[in-house]
Amino acid sequence: MPMADWLKQKGYLKDDQEAEAKKVQQQTNQADLGKILVQLGMVGEREVAMAKAQEMGYNFVDLDRFPVESSAINVVREQIAKNHSIIPVKKEGNTLYVAMSDVTNIQALDDVRLASGCRAIPVMALPAAIEDAIRKYYGGSSAINTAANTAMAAGSAVSQQAGAVNNTNFGSDIRSAIASAQIARPASEDVEQDDGEKMAEQAPIIKLANALIQQAIVDRASDIHVEPQSKMVRIRYRVDGVLMEAMTVPRNLMAALISRLKIMADMNIAERRIPQDGRIEIRSEGKEYDLRVSSIPTPFGEKIVMRILDKSSVMIGLEKLGFTDEHQLKIEELTSQPNGMFLCTGPTGSGKTTTQYSVLNRLNTVGVNIITVEDPIEYQLNGIAQVQVNRKAGLTFATGLRAFLRQDPDIIMVGEMRDLETAEIAIEASLTGHLVLSTLHTNDAPSATLRMIDMGVEPYLISATVIGVLAQRLARRLCSDCKEPYEVPAMDLRRFGMNATDPDEMITIYRPVGCENCRMTGYRGRTGIHELMLMNAEIAELVVRRAPLADVKDAAKANGMKELREDGLYKVLSGVTDPQEVMRVVFTAGY
């Protein structure tokens, strides 16, 4: 689309302004209409650059907002960046995204390829922003001295050792906090733990710890990884299920930062030899978050992982979890029954708990008594009695369930069936007229029955109580702003269950491209991929006979079960995700 048309479509330019600018262009004989629009004050330089980028078929990156990755900076020398006025912004495998004002500069791209050994993909950025980024990320150790000399001015550049951080308000807080903390302590990397504990109460470290968490929330991260290395501390965020490097922090701030995070999580900062667990409650932009904090000892220091739980995420409803209309209708029918057991299965982080909470939220009415036993309680729901497992006090899943049966419940949720005792009491509750929800760790839905048999549950009890099993995975959604269609032979999708016999048949699907809104990944957000097995007489009889898994799976498919790969194919054909993402989360050896 021509630049002027794009600007008008986006509301940046009006018809009369375009006419006036073209009149000036004719009078002055200038070729660049965009420059005239900027000079006349009609459109900003950033908007013109965005319009030119789309006209030429390139992505535009706003370096004032886009987080430059240290892994990208590290593979291109400062001299190359300065000579060509470019800045590497993201490294993904063997692909390096390079911001440049002149995307047609072939010489610059060749030099980057030779220096980095990567395939260089140009993205467009403003020249002034590129120069600022070069000074910021290639500033060297003198940047910290500059921060000291300027009395820790907010937003000052810090050393390359401090790593690349997001250039947002929170990123500025992080840079300022690192610079302040560096000034407050000696440059030695060997820091006594006692000194670190004292520094943990100082304002710069408090500011740094808060900024790390706030930035993770802004970036939609589900986990924060604080990982001590031999010469620095690496900070990584898990966004849409994939870990990405956010920044590095100088080694001599490690003890103070980790001590601060442990203080926030109410953990024992003096104990560094054994794993610990803690919890942080924070509020950001009007929303409440729970952080589940875990620490483990490593050779270079304690590694901290913080899982971010958005308390409002369970209120989104089943319709927002990626279920097909068929799956959602069946789940609503299953969970409307007065008794029986409904199980969710899948690996850690596959969204089982979110699904169970969404079901509970739908069932939560004044006329229903719902009780849960969990370890830990991930989300707190109004109107539901939630019990936290406390093994030190003797409160386990099993003892909690026994007490529940005297509390006149209608619906019981067991966070996870981990042993035979818990499973037997849950089954007893189901047999005595309660709806029981729980989770298991299995690879697919039919495997849940075999897993329970392996735990020691009698097969006839499984067939009498289990009404349905939902297996699920989480796949990244294609970014709606930049995904592009392309055609593939239908035969290529047969491994997903595609019924294709014509070798010439072509199917249109979508692939990731990468833009500013998705941090050049091509993905934004996640969706569920599901497999729902409904118990019927045939499957129940196979379970009682302890039939092989293949027989149970065949019977489930005959009863209408669509496998995970088939639901993945539906999401691919709908343009929600792509085949590679389905392969990543669904397929295992021998599938």
Side-chain angles (χ1 to χ4, degrees), residues 206-348:
I206 294 174
K207 180 181 178 183
L208 173 58
N210 291 338
L212 289 178
I213 295 171
Q214 295 287 356
Q215 186 61 52
I217 291 172
V218 170
D219 288 346
R220 301 179 298 104
S222 60
D223 301 88
I224 305 170
H225 291 241
V226 182
E227 303 168 322
Q229 309 288 313
S230 58
K231 295 184 179 179
M232 50 81 181
V233 180
R234 180 172 66 172
I235 310 294
R236 292 194 291 173
Y237 295 157
R238 187 179 294 279
V239 180
D240 294 335
V242 178
L243 278 171
M244 57 181 61
E245 185 172 320
M247 69 203 75
T248 57
V249 174
R251 169 81 183 181
N252 61 340
L253 299 183
M254 179 194 74
L257 176 60
I258 289 176
S259 292
R260 180 60 200 168
L261 293 173
K262 291 174 71 175
I263 289 171
M264 295 172 69
D266 198 22
M267 298 159 69
N268 184 356
I269 62 174
E271 181 55 75
R272 299 180 292 277
R273 300 165 297 174
I274 61 174
Q276 293 188 65
D277 293 313
R279 178 177 178 178
I280 302 172
E281 292 186 358
I282 63 170
R283 188 176 181 86
S284 177
E285 297 184 355
K287 298 176 71 175
E288 293 183 352
Y289 297 88
D290 271 350
L291 276 68
R292 298 301 158 85
V293 185
S294 171
S295 72
I296 58 172
T298 73
F300 300 115
E302 289 180 279
K303 175 180 176 179
I304 302 283
V305 175
M306 295 177 281
R307 188 167 197 186
I308 303 172
L309 302 175
D310 179 0
K311 292 185 177 182
S312 65
S313 64
V314 295
M315 308 300 288
I316 60 177
L318 288 172
E319 64 276 3
K320 301 290 182 64
L321 299 181
F323 289 108
T324 62
D325 292 341
E326 179 185 3
H327 278 159
Q328 183 172 336
L329 180 62
K330 288 180 178 178
I331 290 172
E332 289 176 352
E333 289 177 353
L334 283 174
T335 55
S336 297
Q337 297 187 31
N339 60 277
M341 186 180 296
F342 176 64
L343 301 173
C344 282
T345 75
T348 301

Side-chain angles (χ1 to χ4, degrees), residues 169-211:
N169 291 333
F170 292 124
S172 299
D173 287 345
I174 293 173
R175 293 194 301 275
S176 178
I178 293 176
S180 301
Q182 285 283 72
I183 294 163
R185 94 143 293 101
S188 169
E189 292 184 0
D190 299 322
V191 181
E192 293 293 333
Q193 186 68 33
D194 290 343
D195 291 341
E197 292 173 9
K198 292 176 183 177
M199 284 188 65
E201 298 294 346
Q202 295 179 4
I205 290 296
I206 294 174
K207 180 181 178 183
L208 173 58
N210 291 338

Side-chain angles (χ1 to χ4, degrees), residues 375-423:
D375 184 21
I377 297 173
E378 296 197 13
Y379 303 98
Q380 293 179 343
L381 299 177
N382 293 328
I384 294 178
Q386 296 173 269
V387 177
Q388 167 77 53
V389 166
N390 186 344
R391 290 182 177 82
K392 291 181 180 179
L395 177 55
T396 64
F397 282 109
T399 55
L401 274 172
R402 285 194 184 96
F404 287 0
L405 297 180
R406 297 189 292 272
Q407 290 280 322
D408 185 32
D410 297 299
I411 300 170
I412 297 174
M413 188 186 90
V414 185
E416 183 181 345
M417 286 202 296
R418 300 179 179 178
D419 52 48
L420 175 59
E421 185 180 15
T422 303

Side-chain angles (χ1 to χ4, degrees), residues 101-123:
S101 57
D102 181 9
V103 292
T104 63
N105 188 343
I106 304 300
Q107 184 62 51
L109 294 174
D110 286 343
D111 286 352
V112 169
R113 290 190 192 99
L114 290 173
S116 65
C118 297
R119 184 169 66 104
I121 303 296
V123 294

